[in-house]
Amino acid sequence: MTEIKKDIYWVGDIDWELRNFHGYSTPTGSTYNAYLIVDEKPTLIDTVKHYGFDEMASRIKAVIDPSKIEYIISNHTEMDHSGCIEKMLELCPKAEVVCSLAGEKGLKRHFKKDWKFKVVNTGDELKIGRRILKFFLMPMVHWPDSMATYSPDDSILFPNDAFGQHHASSERYVHEVGADIVFEAAAKYYANIVMPYGAQVLKVLEALKSLDIKMICPSHGLIWKKQENIKKILQLYKKWANYESDNRAVIIYDTMWHSTEKIAFELGDLLDREGIPVVKLSLKTSDFSDAITEVMRSKVVLLGSAILNNQILPSMGGFLTYLKGLKPKNRFALSFGSYGWAKIGFKELEEGLKEAGMQIIEDGIYMQFVPDESDLEGLKGVVSKIKQLISG
Ligand code: FEO
């Protein structure tokens, strides 16, 4: 464990082996962060994923006798944070479970147990001794039950998933790992977990303005402690919640006999020649979670697929499902691809982009079998449009 402030300990679990978090690639693993506040009424903020119980329990036991814990705060019901509440209550059977009303309902649905619940609302306070903890409901950031706990005495915010990152590390603070690495991980986390809830995030950011925040302790990854990093992550959340993007493009495609790939590469080269930063991702080798992170960054999104059995490729079908769920707004999009004997099957691609909330630049660009030089020459027109969109 690490004492992050006097009498406040990180007692979480480091998941070094994790490579996939419900479909989201986690190349370095992740952490499930739980925090123990030792006051007159010792309080545990969140727990960890079920298989991290022993690690969490041993960290708690290194600080206090767990039977002394009087409150377990469950900021969020999802099982990577609440998965050990039942086992924890075996160690501290008198403890009350503090959560939102939606949290109580969710925990009852998961555990089928009627624990001693203490339901809190925004503005409610909980005196745990010298400290009085405050609660802020954060519905849909990113579940209906989500809430943050704040300790005014310590100026520490415990916002659960918000401001988190999937990154396993023996270090506990952002600045120890390197801010660039952590901001990158935080962007991927936002794109894959929080992006659909921009309006709700903006409300939370507004509520946080009234707080003195010297540390943000999320439920995954590293703790934000340096003021410059806290300021920057709050600014980035505002930018992402407003669906702002950078003047860049991303090309996401899958190909069958390299024809769609040819179009993708030509588009990439033309954009590059115009000085527009561009990333090309093949769905054969890139994970959806990395592709969506590039979509969040980019003002222009180009999606290409070959046609198989009159349909777009299954990889692109899956990516569209993912994209429609995460709904990145304020992006311009174009579909492209190669087809065989009939130009059919692209409707799903076009409809998918619209359903994801994208503004279509122009009709999709589809080429029969293998594109020739004049076909590829024709791409200059749309690249010129993209340049105007990006400079505008
Ligand atoms: Fe990290 Fe929504 O759980």
Side-chain angles (χ1 to χ4, degrees), residues 45 51 76 160 245 279 342 362 378:
I45 300 181
Y51 51 72
H76 175 33
N160 198 267
S245 56
V279 169
E362 64 173 40

Side-chain angles (χ1 to χ4, degrees), residues 343-381:
K343 201 194 310 186
I344 48 177
F346 291 109
K347 195 161 185 282
E348 188 185 346
L349 191 49
E350 293 162 359
E351 293 299 319
L353 286 171
K354 283 184 203 157
E355 280 178 47
M358 306 241 175
Q359 198 172 323
I360 306 301
I361 298 169
E362 64 173 40
D363 289 346
I365 297 176
Y366 311 121
M367 301 179 188
Q368 190 173 29
F369 290 121
V370 181
D372 57 28
E373 276 193 23
S374 72
D375 292 328
L376 296 176
E377 184 73 17
L379 295 172
K380 285 183 176 166

